Amino acid sequence: MNPAPALHEKPVHEKPIHEKPVHGKAPAKTAYTRAVLALGSNLGARNETLSEAVADLVDRPEVRLLAVSPIVQTKAVGGPAGQPDFLNMVISVETSLEPLALLRHCQSVENKHHRVREVHWGPRTLDVDVIVYGDVESSDPVLTLPHPFAAVRAFVLYPWSQMDPSATLNGQPVGELAARAADFPDLKPFDGFGDFDGVPDVGAVEQP
């Protein structure tokens, strides 16, 4: 995502865990955890990429879509100057995947959409970050939870607040966090028309 510095750029190597059936007992019900994922794109047909990425993320039976935010347009935060604007959104899912397995799945969707990591915080066709995973807190540098930059990024917080007005992050309403974020004044709603290579012909409107 234009999103926060791409913290989760290292591939995650993980062996699948196979549960053995317990004789004489019914199989345990699969537990699902609610997670919030942030998506961003500033190369190519950004809106189309985001739509396809959402479908790809929930294509697996272990990931169920709960809600989708509006799309917003923002300036690139960090990285090389002169980048095209990003389109950003968040989705809420419930998943039976463990956190690192969910991250690995997100990275596979990025790769499907030709994500490259040649320039730190550079332009990208698709960025997918795990923002929160239930109530899990982790300082693991591969997957820090909650996402360490989410609380100061309006391009995550504002669409999240539109999707779920009661959502909180670190005990604070995400809508209030969004209004205090440095990038909030540059945020614009986006209606999805005329979009290519980060330069929409129409559809970007000023923040009311």
Side-chain angles (χ1 to χ4, degrees), residues 3-204:
L7 301 176
H8 316 317
E9 294 189 348
K10 296 181 180 179
V12 177
H13 300 288
E14 190 176 84
K15 294 181 179 180
I17 299 175
H18 302 286
E19 295 184 359
K20 295 181 179 180
V22 179
H23 296 292
K25 294 183 179 180
K29 292 184 178 180
T30 302
Y32 279 80
T33 301
R34 184 166 179 163
V36 173
L37 308 178
L39 295 79
S41 174
N42 76 334
L43 289 179
R46 305 170 301 170
N47 187 38
E48 182 179 343
T49 295
L50 293 181
S51 297
E52 292 177 354
V54 171
D56 292 334
L57 287 165
V58 301
D59 188 49
R60 293 182 58 169
E62 300 95 337
V63 184
R64 301 170 178 170
L65 183 64
L66 297 178
V68 178
S69 80
I71 294 175
V72 297
Q73 179 165 309
T74 64
K75 301 296 182 183
V77 176
Q83 293 188 51
D85 288 353
F86 273 83
L87 293 187
N88 290 284
M89 65 183 297
V90 301
I91 65 173
S92 175
V93 302
E94 59 179 9
T95 180
S96 60
L97 297 174
E98 293 296 321
L100 287 179
L102 179 60
L103 172 60
R104 185 180 181 183
H105 174 49
C106 292
Q107 291 175 337
S108 71
V109 172
E110 288 179 336
N111 293 337
K112 180 177 179 180
H113 291 274
H114 311 293
R115 165 68 185 270
V116 295
R117 295 174 170 83
E118 296 177 350
V119 179
H120 189 47
W121 302 356
R124 40 208 181 270
T125 54
L126 179 65
D127 196 17
V128 183
D129 281 328
V130 181
I131 303 302
V132 295
Y133 180 95
D135 297 324
V136 172
E137 295 183 0
S138 170
S139 58
D140 187 330
V142 175
L143 178 59
T144 305
L145 292 169
H147 190 294
F149 291 96
V152 294
R153 301 303 195 209
F155 60 76
V156 173
L157 297 163
Y158 181 74
W160 187 2
S161 71
Q162 297 298 295
M163 179 183 73
D164 181 4
S166 65
T168 60
L169 179 62
N170 300 328
Q172 300 184 65
V174 296
E176 294 181 11
L177 291 172
R180 298 199 297 266
D183 60 322
F184 183 73
D186 293 327
L187 181 151
K188 301 175 183 179
F190 182 73
D191 66 14
F193 293 99
D195 177 50
F196 187 75
D197 282 336
V199 186
D201 299 320
V202 296

